[in-house]
Amino acid sequence: MTLIDSRVAAGRRESADGRRSIPSVEQVLQALPPTPLPRALVVATVRAMLGEVRATHAETDFETVVGEISAALRRLARTRLRPVINGTGVLLHTNLGRAPLAPEAVAAVAAAAGHYTNLEFDVEAGERGGRAAYVERALALACGAEAATVVNNCAAALVLVLRHCTATRPEVLVSRGELIQIGGGFRIPDILAASGARLCEVGTTNQTSLDDYAGRIGPETGLILKVHRSNFRMEGFVASPSTAALASLAQDRDVPFVEDLGSGAIEPIEAPHFEPREPTAAEILSAGADLVTFSGDKLFGGPQAGIIVGRGAMVAALKHEPLFRALRCDKLVFAALEATVEAWLSGRAAEQLPVHAMMRTPVAVLRERAERLQAALRSSGVPVRVVECSATVGGGSMPTAEIPSIGVELSAAPVPAAELRRRLLQHSPPVAGVVVRDGVRIDLRTVFPAQDETVADAFRAAFDAGSAAARGGGAAG
Ligand SMILES: *Cc1c(COP(=O)(O)O)cnc(C)c1O
């Protein structure tokens, strides 16, 4: 029996009550177009969807069932981890995986990934060695710290620090102006609760004084925590004690003092549109904090990680916490971190780390790329235009910084902008743009120059499909 025959046969099978019967898994599998997904995943999907059809007693024919399952498999395949072109103008886009790695870091990851490594092996001595000793030493140096260590992310770093500091004295002092939420699912009060710490709120939302802290320190106080307002600004009648003032109070009263910096600037980023600038980890340590925590994949420009720097004795004690074993990173993260911190230490961060290179690309260079794109697209009948826009740092860093940028905008009325955006996302690789007025914009600051051609292809496909849809053509799907 041919494929067509089997489809027809299956489509015609009707049960006694006149309802078309549900095709078998095998019949559907034979009728599906080729897919890159493993067979087990395809079979499971087919089984689940046929189960749904059975459960809902829906009136269906074979072609419709196969079409729906095939579309579901295509959607499933598109959720596999893969590169996306970032045309959003948000440099550290948490949904797009924050910082892309430097080519040096990518090479280091590849080398470590496919081979055995000296992860916990001292090649000199020929025996078991310390894990991550090199990267810890390099990170400490980059941050002007006595010591450093690394866990899975900044949230994990904070949990580890909280667990350690509140083991005997459970109370943690945090200003009411710093009980913040970072992105989805990270709220300081929740992290404290999850760590078994007791939150002791200090001061008010806009005003917290040193006396407010001093008045709340008691025998139960295990930690003073300062949280960097990394993803928002407060303006107006606002005051809170400096890191230095808090550090000296903490020292006088013999309470540890930790600052959660989050964004993790290693060197000051000086530019008019970066005011007020992010404090560096080294500045906070030299102001007297015992420990500073920050993310590896924000301004540091590396892989997802939580970096903890500060006093040698405290870092050593953290590494002895039983929880540390559960939060530690793997060799791939260490490989990427090593190459990233080396970029900082050799003064090449601005060229090597993509986020920092993108941050500094002159507007004139972006404009030239945009005009080239525009010329190429217009010659194939796609009416894009070059526009001025502003990029942002994102990822909970420098919330008010607007970086002058250049974008390419496509409108194809009467096709709605949201539809154009969706079409760019359907491209392979997907191109993430922003809906503006009646069109969709791709900000070139966050697009790698080597991706410009692909952006042009995606624009062409979106426009062609868009105009086909506008003409009432059925080929738009
Ligand atoms: C981003 C951020 C975090 C969370 O960092 P992850 O690495 O995503 O866990 C924590 N605190 C602050 C202040 C942040 O900005």
Side-chain angles (χ1 to χ4, degrees):
M1 194 157 64
T2 67
L3 201 62
I4 299 298
D5 290 341
S6 74
R7 287 181 189 185
V8 170
R12 282 196 186 134
R13 272 198 306 156
E14 292 190 10
S15 54
D17 61 3
R19 199 160 51 83
R20 289 200 173 96
S21 65
I22 312 291
S24 74
V25 171
E26 198 47 48
Q27 284 170 322
V28 174
L29 287 175
Q30 279 179 19
L32 283 173
T35 153
L37 296 172
R39 187 176 158 86
L41 209 44
V42 175
V43 172
T45 307
V46 170
R47 207 163 266 147
M49 288 191 70
L50 288 180
E52 272 171 41
V53 174
R54 201 168 294 122
T56 55
H57 302 288
E59 281 286 330
T60 52
D61 61 57
F62 186 71
E63 296 298 333
T64 311
V65 171
V66 170
E68 279 172 9
I69 293 177
S70 167
L73 288 169
R74 275 200 306 277
R75 282 196 300 276
L76 180 63
R78 277 203 294 269
T79 61
R80 292 198 297 177
L81 197 59
R82 61 184 172 149
V84 170
I85 295 180
N86 178 7
T88 65
V90 181
L91 285 156
L92 294 168
H93 200 303
T94 299
N95 300 156
L96 302 182
R98 291 195 186 151
L101 295 179
E104 291 77 5
V106 173
V109 170
H115 298 92
Y116 294 107
T117 65
N118 60 341
L119 179 65
E120 274 182 32
F121 184 71
D122 182 338
V123 181
E124 291 299 316
E127 56 195 39
R128 192 200 156 109
R131 194 181 166 92
Y134 177 83
V135 77
E136 288 180 348
R137 186 168 171 172
L139 283 168
L141 184 62
C143 299
E146 288 173 19
T149 194
V150 189
V151 290
N152 273 323
N153 51 32
C154 192
L158 212 49
V159 169
L160 181 67
V161 167
L162 287 165
R163 284 281 277 257
H164 175 70
C165 292
T166 60
T168 52
R169 295 183 292 175
E171 221 167 71
V172 178
L173 269 48
V174 188
S175 162
R176 288 198 169 92
E178 297 172 2
L179 294 173
I180 62 170
Q181 169 163 350
I182 308 278
F186 180 99
R187 288 179 153 190
I188 290 290
D190 298 344
I191 293 279
L192 258 80
S195 311
R198 198 160 72 221
L199 171 62
C200 179
E201 300 183 15
V202 177
T204 64
T205 301
N206 57 325
Q207 293 274 334
T208 303
S209 69
L210 197 60
D211 283 346
D212 290 333
Y213 282 96
R216 298 305 297 264
I217 297 176
E220 297 276 272
T221 309
L223 175 70
I224 298 177
L225 177 66
K226 185 172 169 61
V227 184
H228 182 53
R229 292 181 191 133
S230 54
N231 61 354
F232 70 107
R233 293 268 176 256
M234 290 212 292
E235 282 177 14
F237 186 52
V238 173
S240 56
S242 67
T243 295
L246 271 177
S248 106
L249 171 69
Q251 198 176 6
D252 286 350
R253 308 287 291 268
D254 202 21
V255 175
F257 170 53
V258 173
E259 185 157 337
D260 174 26
L261 183 57
S263 45
I266 298 301
E267 283 167 9
I269 302 168
E270 312 274 10
H273 41 270
F274 289 150
E275 290 298 334
R277 74 169 180 78
E278 286 287 299
T280 66
E283 284 165 349
I284 291 169
L285 288 176
S286 72
D290 294 313
L291 293 175
V292 173
T293 56
F294 61 95
S295 296
D297 53 359
K298 293 186 183 171
L299 289 175
F300 183 70
Q304 179 190 301
I307 299 169
I308 307 170
V309 294
R311 293 201 194 288
M314 273 181 91
V315 171
L318 288 176
K319 291 175 69 178
H320 281 107
E321 284 287 325
L323 190 60
F324 182 76
R325 176 65 176 76
L327 302 177
R328 74 184 192 183
C329 303
D330 79 321
K331 61 182 178 177
L332 304 186
V333 170
F334 289 138
L337 278 175
E338 277 187 15
T340 309
V341 70
E342 283 175 348
W344 285 107
L345 288 174
S346 54
R348 289 206 294 270
E351 307 116 65
Q352 289 186 359
L353 306 179
V355 168
H356 288 269
M358 286 170 170
M359 212 181 269
R360 291 168 172 82
T361 310
V363 168
V365 172
L366 297 178
R367 189 182 294 280
E368 210 181 291
R369 283 170 53 196
E371 280 166 359
R372 224 174 309 137
L373 257 175
Q374 177 180 252
L377 283 165
R378 284 197 172 165
S379 74
S380 37
V382 184
V384 293
R385 51 198 189 99
V386 175
V387 293
E388 287 179 0
C389 54
S390 29
T392 56
V393 179
S397 307
M398 299 197 273
T400 52
E402 294 207 342
I403 313 167
S405 192
I406 298 289
V408 178
E409 231 173 79
L410 170 68
S411 323
V415 183
E419 171 63 13
L420 291 176
R421 175 174 178 270
R422 198 188 67 80
R423 288 193 187 288
L424 290 179
L425 287 171
Q426 294 293 312
H427 195 75
S428 189
V431 178
V434 184
V435 167
V436 279
R437 296 176 295 274
D438 56 346
V440 62
R441 180 176 68 212
I442 299 300
D443 186 329
L444 289 185
R445 186 170 291 284
T446 46
V447 175
F448 289 88
Q451 296 173 326
D452 284 359
E453 269 307 307
T454 314
V455 169
D457 291 343
F459 267 133
R460 277 186 204 102
F463 181 72
D464 290 346
S467 46
R471 285 191 307 269

